[in-house]
Amino acid sequence: NAGVTQTPKFQVLKTGQSMTLQCAQDMNHEYMSWYRQDPGMGLRLIHYSVGAGITDQGEVPNGYNVSRSTTEDFPLRLLSAAPSQTSVYFCASSGPLSGETQYFGPGTRLLVL
Amino acid sequence: GQSLEQPSEVTAVEGAIVQINCTYQTSGFYGLSWYQQHDGGAPTFLSYNALDGLEETGRFSSFLSRSDSYGYLLLQELQMKDSASYFCAVRDEAGGYNKLIFGAGTRLAVHP
């Protein structure tokens, strides 16, 4: 199993550009989440999903959209990038059989100029 | 809402024991999780406590006191590779199973 994969690893955007961060998992997990991590602020939940077709907002959802058309994929869309969205983005997944464990992807480092 | 507090930094020497504390405020409580993150890496799950008491996993142990809204991670026989950031996390009752809220993290530096 590849676990949780994220693409791209690095991305530089200009203010106002849009892009999609990809996340996929091959563990048949129902639950998937997106977090952003800024220095000294830990991980903050952006959006999450409890299954295909079901998504909800986390702590910091503004400026981001998500959709969950399949169990495997959970893309995060930045609608109009802003410098405040410069961060490291992590995708995570979990399921009933993984207990309390959330499995994280390797992260995407995003710089918005 | 939820809030978690943990020290920002802890320093220790190889072979020593270190305790990282976490206090939390939540509208509902399911349990306290701990994650480890090395610089440039992704968080990895360490432990979970739903009930009061100590859970031991090798050199790492985690403790929970629900009445005190307090928990800690205990790292024994410290090794250089334990230098990392450690996060406590709780689940948000309103969001259910998957809405995990993290503390700001404790950076542990292990010295020879």
Side-chain angles (χ1 to χ4, degrees), chain A residues 9-97:
Chain A
K9 286 187 172 59
F10 304 96
Q11 184 70 47
V12 180
L13 291 178
K14 294 181 180 177
T15 295
Q17 287 184 314
S18 62
M19 80 160 293
T20 299
L21 279 63
Q22 300 292 344
C23 174
Q25 52 91 11
D26 61 0
M27 296 175 282
N28 202 31
H29 284 165
E30 293 179 300
Y31 312 114
M32 297 186 74
S33 304
W34 276 102
Y35 297 87
R36 61 176 288 173
Q37 185 173 35
D38 304 302
M41 296 190 73
L43 294 142
R44 291 184 292 169
L45 183 65
I46 304 171
H47 285 285
Y48 66 103
S49 169
V50 298
I54 306 170
T55 64
D56 205 348
Q57 296 182 348
E59 302 170 270
V60 288
N62 292 340
Y64 307 94
N65 272 358
V66 292
S67 60
R68 185 97 180 269
S69 56
T70 67
T71 300
E72 294 78 20
D73 300 299
F74 191 42
L76 178 73
R77 282 183 288 277
L78 280 70
L79 308 172
S80 176
S84 61
Q85 293 179 305
T86 293
S87 189
V88 181
Y89 291 85
F90 288 101
C91 178
S93 76
S94 61
L97 294 182

Side-chain angles (χ1 to χ4, degrees), chain A residues 100-101, chain B residues 4 22 31-35 45-49 87-91 100 102:
Chain A
E100 289 302 317
T101 305
Chain B
L4 299 100
C22 175
L32 186 69
S33 299
W34 289 93
Y35 284 77
F45 174 81
L46 288 177
S47 67
Y48 173 72
N49 295 69
F87 297 89
C88 57
V90 295
R91 278 195 274 146
L100 199 62
F102 284 79

Side-chain angles (χ1 to χ4, degrees), chain B residues 17-83:
Chain B
I17 299 173
V18 73
Q19 179 174 310
I20 299 174
N21 299 320
C22 175
T23 57
Y24 59 86
Q25 285 186 318
T26 62
S27 53
F29 182 75
Y30 289 97
L32 186 69
S33 299
W34 289 93
Y35 284 77
Q36 178 193 60
Q37 185 182 31
H38 287 98
D39 284 347
T44 56
F45 174 81
L46 288 177
S47 67
Y48 173 72
N49 295 69
L51 302 175
D52 286 356
L54 192 68
E55 295 279 343
E56 298 182 62
T57 308
R59 293 187 298 113
F60 293 1
S61 303
S62 56
F63 172 83
L64 176 66
S65 170
R66 295 173 67 113
S67 60
D68 296 322
S69 297
Y70 164 77
Y72 65 74
L73 181 68
L74 191 72
L75 296 83
Q76 303 181 74
E77 300 173 18
L78 281 173
Q79 303 175 9
M80 297 294 289
K81 67 178 182 179
D82 298 328
S83 292

